[in-house]
Amino acid sequence: MKAQVFRGVNQLSYEDIPIPEIAADEVLVRVKVVGLCQSDIKKIRYPLYEPPRIFGHETAGKIAAVGEAVTGWQVGQRVVVMHHIPCMHCAYCLNENYSMCHVYKTVTTTAGFIPSGGGFAEYVKVPGHIVQHGGLIPIPDHISDEEASFVEPTNCCLKAVKKAGVAPGQTVLITGAGPIGLMFIMLVNLFGARAIATDLLPSRIAKAKEVGAAAAFDARDPDLSAKVQALTHGLGVDVSLLAVPSEKAFFQALECTRKGGKILFFAEFPDEVEIPLNPNILYRREIDLMGSYSSSYRLQSLACDIIFNRRIDVKALISDRYPLAKLAEAVEQAVHPTPETYKILIYPEAECTPCQFPHG
């Protein structure tokens, strides 16, 4: 099969590799579409992991083979593949910190080499633990593979929205109107709150309003805080969701968040970044700082309900489709977006047709 193999920092090699062999309790899925995630981009562009690996984890496909001990799944079924499932019995799981679980972090889907998601390949192997504990999700007939590939990122965003306690009637500041920021806007609206967005690109500011933001501003606007205060009757926003790894965005959020409010870090900052902060600001204003990483097992059903019942319009987030052979070009576009770049989807080369892929 064809796969994009990570061979080192910024080194992707489009190679022929063996189709993974499955054990009795495993399932092989033919990848139909996989979303390009910011976490994939970081793994490709920075020295975070030893090569060789095959990344990609926002995967939808069709079951190609099942192990002899697998029950309840048949060849030909369309499925979403969740690349992590927690053990459910360690101290982290018992406290519902599922993404901190050792099994969650280490047992994952693979297309070969060191297991690392494996979605950037024509076939991906699903370990028995994931097969047996809800990591395969059937796709309803009325839902496209593209829409289904949003289940995992929707779960991740839902976890952040839930953790921040977003509630009806609240106002939420979302820094960054890329694909994640736009999804946050949709989910905030779904939960009955009001979204205010910021970005640097005029097209993304307009897009934020298009998908439901009550207001959207240039992040460089010197009057940003005053405008947010005006929209919240001088109170400030209840919650700020940081969807970009920007120190400036954090301090803007701190300025715009009301007393007793919450600021949630969703974007991962470079390790060398340190943010100087007077702790009395948090103490006197009772600001809660929190982080949200990856998905939550408990929210899997809700994420599926939102996508499969089209409670948010994820199709509005898709801007580009690339064949697997041109993954490096897709990464480059994501790093240096055009004014109209939002969510990028990747298709295995075997699925390409010229009309599908204007970039191909």
Side-chain angles (χ1 to χ4, degrees):
M1 69 174 181
K2 293 289 189 181
Q4 285 283 4
V5 183
F6 170 71
R7 293 290 181 182
V9 175
N10 272 333
Q11 297 178 40
L12 289 171
S13 177
Y14 189 54
E15 301 179 13
D16 286 302
I17 65 169
I19 294 174
E21 295 183 5
I22 59 171
D25 63 345
E26 295 180 328
V27 166
L28 185 70
V29 173
R30 183 178 181 183
V31 179
K32 294 295 185 179
V33 61
V34 57
L36 179 59
C37 175
Q38 282 297 321
S39 65
D40 297 319
I41 295 169
K42 285 182 290 186
K43 293 168 187 175
I44 292 167
R45 292 179 59 86
Y46 297 100
L48 302 174
Y49 295 94
E50 289 294 321
R53 295 172 185 260
I54 300 171
F55 298 123
H57 59 271
E58 299 177 357
T59 304
K62 184 178 289 187
I63 293 178
V66 296
E68 58 189 23
V70 173
T71 59
W73 297 103
Q74 292 80 39
V75 171
Q77 277 187 276
R78 297 167 61 233
V79 291
V80 173
V81 180
M82 300 297 287
H83 64 306
H84 292 305
I85 295 292
C87 74
M88 302 305 293
H89 56 73
C90 70
Y92 292 117
C93 287
L94 294 177
N95 283 285
E96 298 195 8
N97 303 128
Y98 303 113
S99 57
M100 299 295 107
C101 167
H102 177 73
V103 170
Y104 181 97
K105 288 176 176 287
T106 58
V107 177
T108 185
T109 51
T110 183
F113 308 107
I114 303 168
S116 302
F120 296 144
E122 290 186 309
Y123 292 89
V124 64
K125 179 172 72 171
V126 185
H129 170 73
I130 294 178
V131 173
Q132 295 163 18
H133 296 97
L136 286 179
I137 302 167
I139 301 172
D141 291 340
H142 70 284
I143 294 295
S144 68
D145 295 328
E146 287 190 343
E147 291 171 288
S149 71
F150 281 88
V151 167
E152 194 274 344
T154 298
N155 186 317
C156 294
C157 291
L158 266 177
K159 176 183 172 182
V161 169
K162 287 280 193 177
K163 189 169 185 178
V166 174
Q170 290 188 332
T171 302
V172 179
L173 175 66
I174 298 159
T175 65
I180 290 298
L182 295 174
M183 182 175 283
F184 272 138
I185 292 169
M186 293 178 176
L187 291 173
V188 163
N189 287 342
L190 184 65
F191 277 71
R194 179 176 63 157
I196 300 173
T198 63
D199 203 275
L200 299 175
L201 295 176
S203 57
R204 290 189 169 185
I205 293 169
K207 186 72 169 181
K209 294 176 182 176
E210 180 184 320
V211 302
F217 302 110
D218 191 315
R220 295 161 295 200
D221 189 338
D223 297 323
L224 175 63
S225 177
K227 291 178 178 179
V228 170
Q229 295 294 326
L231 286 169
T232 57
H233 307 290
L235 187 65
V237 299
D238 302 283
V239 174
S240 288
L241 302 175
L242 299 183
V244 290
S246 164
E247 183 178 345
K248 182 177 180 181
F250 167 72
F251 283 110
Q252 286 178 333
L254 191 61
E255 192 173 358
C256 292
T257 302
R258 67 168 173 83
K259 297 174 184 177
K262 300 172 183 176
I263 300 174
L264 183 140
F265 289 81
F266 188 81
E268 183 176 9
F269 283 66
D271 284 341
E272 64 271 16
V273 172
E274 294 183 358
I275 298 177
L277 179 65
N278 183 337
N280 283 328
I281 295 173
L282 306 182
Y283 168 71
R284 292 167 183 162
R285 292 175 56 195
E286 292 192 354
I287 299 289
D288 290 341
L289 296 184
M290 58 187 68
S292 184
Y293 158 75
S294 196
S295 61
S296 169
Y297 182 78
R298 292 291 186 203
L299 294 173
Q300 193 161 293
S301 294
L302 180 57
C304 290
D305 173 72
I306 288 171
I307 295 301
F308 295 161
N309 288 298
R310 294 180 172 145
R311 300 188 188 279
I312 62 175
D313 181 15
V314 294
K315 290 185 288 186
L317 303 179
I318 303 169
S319 63
D320 298 271
R321 298 167 177 87
Y322 280 84
L324 182 63
K326 297 194 175 184
L327 176 61
E329 293 181 23
V331 171
E332 187 64 22
Q333 180 174 343
V335 173
H336 303 288
T338 70
E340 301 303 325
T341 300
Y342 302 104
K343 187 66 176 181
I344 298 174
L345 300 181
I346 308 298
Y347 282 75
E349 190 70 48
E351 298 298 316
C352 286
T353 61
C355 62
Q356 277 183 295
F357 300 105
H359 297 282

